[in-house]
């Protein structure tokens, strides 16, 4: 015959049942949030009425209700600056820091908080250079932490949700804002003040996040990886305009630039004066990459007039593919030291 339970045994059983029902925190995935600054971590300075860096990494995380239910969060404060102050050298340091963090087998992925002004370039730089294949999600905010409805907390929650989702595997680095997931290669900032500030042009979003679920629309676009050189070469970006006399391109060539990216018009064309300035730069062994101000479509060797894409290719210009000029510049900074003067190799990297 069964003996009745003692009070001690009864209490022990109830406690054990609770332990079994509750998900222990250790079983949640670990996500590291690396903070760099930007509006997401800014507040209005009462003295000036303007937004300035103010919020620590820990404060950022504690402002996100429900985060502790989906992941164990660790924070790493990399910097706290407005992203207009970011430099390629800082993205080098960020890339190395993120790879170091991702080496820990317990870490599922990384979320990087970053100002939105240069987030598209920062994400692309890391997409080109990170060794780890784990998910890395860049996130920012269009409204600062003292706004009546800041968008930062929801964006962080979405970013962590994405890192924890198996659907995110293979997307590489993304910029995830206002529920939309953008590939680092395709993303552009397209609005100065609205929360729907980013899109991927005709390439389309990778996916969408709603009520804690990740929906996949697309695979990541093709891309390459390049090692981080000991020193990044000086590469200057110049936008051409109607009536441009080419003086800025010549000036850049005289500034010891190793490369110049020219943001031309249409399918990749410049006027005759700029074509002469490009010849001047090429004669000084400066690598010249031709980009375009147009949002969608490749830079193509179509036009044979002086300064047309086809003529520039004959002169020795590299065609910049279908990424914005600021991203062409980052790719060229990484590619010049690797290519060691191999023109065809450079063109191949820009084609991919
Ligand atoms: N000025 C800010 C930055 O890029 C804009 C933002 O984060 O939304 O740092």
């Amino acid at each position: 015959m069964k003996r009745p339970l003692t009070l001690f045994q009864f209490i022990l059983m109830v406690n054990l049942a609770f332990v079994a029902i509750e998900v222990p925190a250790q079983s949640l995935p670990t996500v590291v949030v690396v903070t760099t600054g930007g509006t997401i971590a800014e507040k209005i300075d009462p003295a000036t009425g303007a937004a300035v860096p103010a919020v620590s990494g820990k404060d950022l995380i504690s402002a996100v209700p429900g985060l502790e239910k989906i992941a164990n969060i660790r924070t790493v404060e990399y910097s706290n600056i407005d992203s207009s102050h970011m430099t390629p050298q800082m993205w080098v340091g960020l890339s190395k820091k993120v790879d170091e963090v991702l080496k820990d087998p317990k870490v599922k992925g990384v979320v990087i908080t970053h100002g939105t002004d240069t987030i598209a370039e920062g994400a692309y730089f890391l997409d080109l250079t990170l060794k780890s294949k784990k998910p890395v999600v860049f996130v920012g905010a269009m409204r600062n932490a003292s706004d009546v409805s800041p968008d930062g907390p929801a964006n962080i929650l979405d970013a962590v949700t994405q890192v924890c989702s198996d659907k995110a595997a293979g997307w590489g680095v993304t910029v995830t804002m206002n529920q939309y997931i953008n590939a680092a290669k395709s993303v552009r900032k397209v609005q100065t003040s609205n929360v729907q500030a980013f899109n991927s042009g005709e390439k389309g979003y990778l996916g969408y996040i709603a009520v804690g679920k990740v929906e996949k629309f697309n695979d990541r676009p093709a891309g390459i990886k390049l090692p981080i050189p000991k020193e990044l070469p000086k590469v200057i970006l110049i936008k051409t305009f109607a009536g441009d006399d080419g003086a800025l391109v010549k000036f850049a060539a005289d500034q010891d630039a190793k490369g110049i990216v020219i943001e031309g018009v249409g399918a990749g064309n410049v006027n005759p004066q700029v074509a002469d300035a490009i010849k001047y730069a090429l004669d000084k062994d400066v690598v010249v990459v031709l980009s375009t101000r147009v949002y969608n479509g490749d830079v193509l060797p179509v036009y044979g007039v002086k300064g047309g894409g086809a003529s520039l290719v004959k002169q020795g210009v590299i065609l910049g593919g279908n990424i914005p000029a600021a991203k062409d510049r980052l790719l060229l900074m990484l590619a010049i030291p690797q290519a060691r003067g191999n023109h065809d190799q450079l063109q191949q990297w820009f084609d991919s």
Side-chain angles (χ1 to χ4, degrees):
M1 208 179 82
K2 263 190 172 176
R3 275 201 293 168
L5 294 175
T6 65
L7 182 62
F8 173 75
Q9 283 170 324
F10 177 74
I11 292 171
L12 188 70
M13 272 182 64
V14 170
N15 277 338
L16 282 176
F18 269 117
V19 169
I21 291 163
E22 261 183 27
V23 180
Q26 295 94 305
S27 74
L28 291 174
T30 296
V31 176
V32 178
V33 178
V34 180
T35 60
T36 71
T39 292
I40 195 165
E42 289 180 11
K43 274 187 171 168
I44 297 296
D45 174 2
T48 62
V52 287
V55 183
S56 74
K58 291 234 155 48
D59 291 346
L60 260 185
I61 297 315
S62 58
V64 187
L67 204 53
E68 71 291 344
K69 293 203 183 99
I70 56 172
N72 289 317
I73 304 291
R74 283 191 218 150
T75 55
V76 173
E77 290 195 21
Y78 178 73
S79 60
N80 196 357
I81 58 168
D82 195 90
S83 78
S84 52
H85 296 193
M86 273 288 170
T87 63
Q89 205 49 53
M90 289 191 71
W91 290 323
V92 165
L94 184 60
S95 182
K96 289 181 177 168
K97 170 57 75 186
V98 171
D99 256 333
E100 183 191 313
V101 162
L102 289 173
K103 266 196 196 132
D104 181 345
K106 281 195 233 97
V107 176
K108 173 100 175 152
V110 162
V111 169
I112 300 173
T113 61
H114 196 290
T116 62
D117 288 354
T118 59
I119 198 171
E121 287 108 283
Y124 184 57
F125 191 89
L126 267 72
D127 202 38
L128 287 170
T129 55
L130 279 175
K131 294 190 186 105
S132 173
K133 290 201 168 77
K134 290 181 184 175
V136 173
V137 180
F138 273 72
V139 73
M142 295 301 289
R143 297 176 182 154
N144 65 66
S146 14
D147 197 281
V148 282
S149 59
D151 51 330
N155 285 341
I156 291 175
L157 187 65
D158 283 347
V160 173
T161 301
Q162 183 186 326
V163 167
C164 296
S165 160
D166 290 337
K167 296 219 176 99
W171 272 339
V173 180
T174 72
V175 174
T176 300
M177 294 277 296
N178 198 34
Q179 299 174 260
Y180 289 105
I181 303 165
N182 298 273
K185 187 177 179 186
S186 318
V187 67
R188 273 182 196 262
K189 188 171 188 181
V190 292
Q191 233 286 351
T192 58
S193 59
N194 191 289
V195 291
Q196 184 38 32
F198 289 86
N199 71 34
S200 298
E202 65 188 8
K203 301 274 161 33
Y205 299 111
L206 292 179
Y208 186 73
I209 305 175
V211 288
K213 289 219 161 56
V214 176
E215 196 179 338
K216 182 170 177 173
F217 299 159
N218 286 305
D219 289 328
R220 68 174 293 179
I224 53 159
K225 289 276 178 196
L226 286 169
I228 295 172
K230 274 206 187 83
E231 210 184 318
L232 291 171
K234 181 169 179 172
V235 175
I236 294 177
L237 164 59
I238 297 172
K239 189 179 182 84
T240 63
F241 46 88
D244 192 343
D245 62 5
L248 291 175
V249 175
K250 282 192 181 155
F251 180 75
D254 289 339
Q255 293 308 298
D256 208 21
K258 298 285 174 277
I260 303 175
V261 174
I262 302 199
E263 192 186 274
V265 295
N269 306 298
V270 300
N271 72 17
Q273 290 83 352
V274 176
D276 286 338
I278 287 173
K279 178 161 184 335
Y280 177 84
L282 291 168
D283 287 347
K284 288 186 136 205
D285 281 335
V286 179
V287 180
V288 179
V289 170
L290 183 64
S291 186
T292 177
R293 62 160 80 159
V294 181
Y295 272 25
N296 293 309
D298 289 312
V299 173
L300 296 163
V302 178
Y303 297 97
V305 293
K306 186 168 180 182
S311 313
L312 294 175
V313 167
K314 280 197 194 125
Q315 274 184 249
V317 167
I318 307 275
L319 299 179
N322 57 11
I323 52 177
K327 293 186 188 178
D328 276 324
R329 173 176 172 258
L330 295 174
L331 176 52
L332 189 56
M333 290 174 100
L334 293 166
I336 284 175
Q338 281 305 307
R340 295 195 187 91
N342 184 335
H343 182 279
D344 293 346
Q345 176 64 83
L346 275 173
Q347 185 60 68
Q348 219 179 306
W349 283 332
F350 277 88
D351 287 344
S352 57

